Amino acid sequence: MKNNKEKSPILKGYDDVVEGKRNGRLAMWLITVGSVIFGLTALIISALLQAESADKMKVIDSTGRVIQSDLRREEEVRVSTIQAHLANAMFYLNSFDRNSIKENQARALFLVDKKSADRIFNSYNRQGAYNDALQSGYIYRAKFNKLTVLEGKTEPFTFEAEGELSVTDGSRTITTKIVGKGNIRYSNPNFPNNPQGMIIYDYLQEYQDMPTEPNKEEVKEVKMDAMQRVDTIK
């Protein structure tokens, strides 16, 4: 009697069916995995190509004018927003007369952190500038001139800026250069107190002589010797 009998045609057919199903499932799994890998690879390559070329892309409008890419426009909007905020901060920190000292100090606190603002206010107080405004009618007016340094791709950004401080006593005006530096980040917008939605912190400010200086007698007459010798605010 033989130990191994040949399988009947029915059993052989069943084995063929089972093997066919197994091979079919394997093929389907391989096709599915291959499709997923191919799709992910295509998405990654597409994203890399788009990121590389986005900043170089030029769009032409119907008049033939070159429209800047969104990335470049976003950068320009960010710089413009920072400049506008610095202009407001520099004005309210350094501008006052006998009627606007408290009001401008309050407005400055929406734009600059309290520690930095108090450093500026205390400097003017020590120099007697607020007393000159109250008692003698001196008028202090500051304006932002330009942003000289802006570093950082994401917030917080580090900046340096220049402005001018004009001090007027009647018909005489002395102008001093303001150099400010610090950090700036986004905050909650607050119209009209902080329309740009930014806040300056770790702000330091110093004063420098302008290229054309008034003579010593004029400085003495308008009591601005202290402003010409002011040290860097620390």
Side-chain angles (χ1 to χ4, degrees):
M1 184 177 182
K2 295 181 180 180
N3 292 330
N4 296 324
K5 294 183 179 180
E6 293 184 359
K7 292 184 178 181
S8 66
I10 295 176
L11 292 177
K12 284 184 177 181
Y14 177 77
D15 288 344
D16 292 341
V17 171
V18 171
E19 184 66 21
K21 289 182 176 181
R22 185 182 296 115
N23 291 337
R25 286 196 296 270
L26 179 60
M28 183 60 68
W29 183 83
L30 291 174
I31 292 172
T32 302
V33 172
S35 299
V36 171
I37 293 175
F38 178 80
L40 290 175
T41 302
L43 287 174
I44 292 172
I45 293 174
S46 176
L48 291 174
L49 291 175
Q50 183 177 2
E52 183 179 354
S53 62
D55 197 40
K56 301 178 182 178
M57 182 174 56
K58 292 183 179 180
V59 180
I60 309 297
D61 65 10
S62 59
T63 64
R65 184 182 59 182
V66 177
I67 302 175
Q68 296 175 333
S69 67
D70 288 343
L71 291 178
R72 189 174 302 173
R73 182 174 299 171
E74 181 179 341
E75 171 73 9
E76 291 186 353
V77 169
R78 177 169 64 86
V79 172
S80 179
T81 301
I82 291 174
Q83 288 176 323
H85 189 87
L86 291 175
N88 287 337
M90 193 170 285
F91 176 83
Y92 287 115
L93 283 171
N94 301 282
S95 300
F96 53 88
D97 55 34
R98 61 163 50 107
N99 298 316
S100 62
I101 294 176
K102 294 298 183 182
E103 179 183 352
N104 286 0
Q105 286 181 345
R107 288 181 176 273
L109 290 173
F110 284 98
L111 310 171
V112 183
D113 74 296
K114 189 175 187 303
K115 183 178 179 180
S116 298
D118 284 344
R119 189 159 44 229
I120 307 296
F121 301 153
N122 291 336
S123 174
Y124 281 122
N125 191 46
R126 289 193 305 267
Q127 295 165 18
Y130 292 141
N131 184 68
D132 285 341
L134 291 170
Q135 301 298 326
S136 304
Y138 281 49
I139 299 173
Y140 286 68
R141 286 290 179 269
K143 70 174 183 177
F144 170 84
N145 282 344
K146 61 182 177 179
L147 182 66
T148 56
V149 174
L150 182 62
E151 297 177 347
K153 294 296 183 182
T154 58
E155 60 177 315
F157 309 104
T158 300
F159 71 87
E160 292 185 17
E162 294 181 2
E164 294 180 14
L165 174 64
S166 298
V167 183
T168 302
D169 172 28
S171 61
R172 300 178 185 274
T173 298
I174 293 179
T175 302
T176 303
K177 181 179 180 180
I178 298 176
V179 178
K181 58 185 67 177
N183 298 309
I184 187 169
R185 59 177 174 79
Y186 290 105
S187 182
N188 294 324
N190 181 345
F191 183 84
N193 298 310
N194 188 348
Q196 285 77 33
M198 308 196 84
I199 189 75
I200 298 169
Y201 63 99
D202 294 339
Y203 181 67
L204 299 174
Q205 185 172 277
E206 64 181 19
Y207 307 93
Q208 300 177 0
D209 291 336
M210 297 294 287
T212 302
E213 299 181 32
N215 61 56
K216 292 182 179 180
E217 289 301 317
E218 289 178 331
V219 175
K220 186 176 180 180
E221 287 178 8
V222 295
K223 301 179 182 179
M224 284 302 299
D225 290 358
M227 288 300 298
Q228 301 301 315
R229 301 191 306 268
V230 67
D231 295 328
T232 301
I233 300 169
K234 298 180 179 180

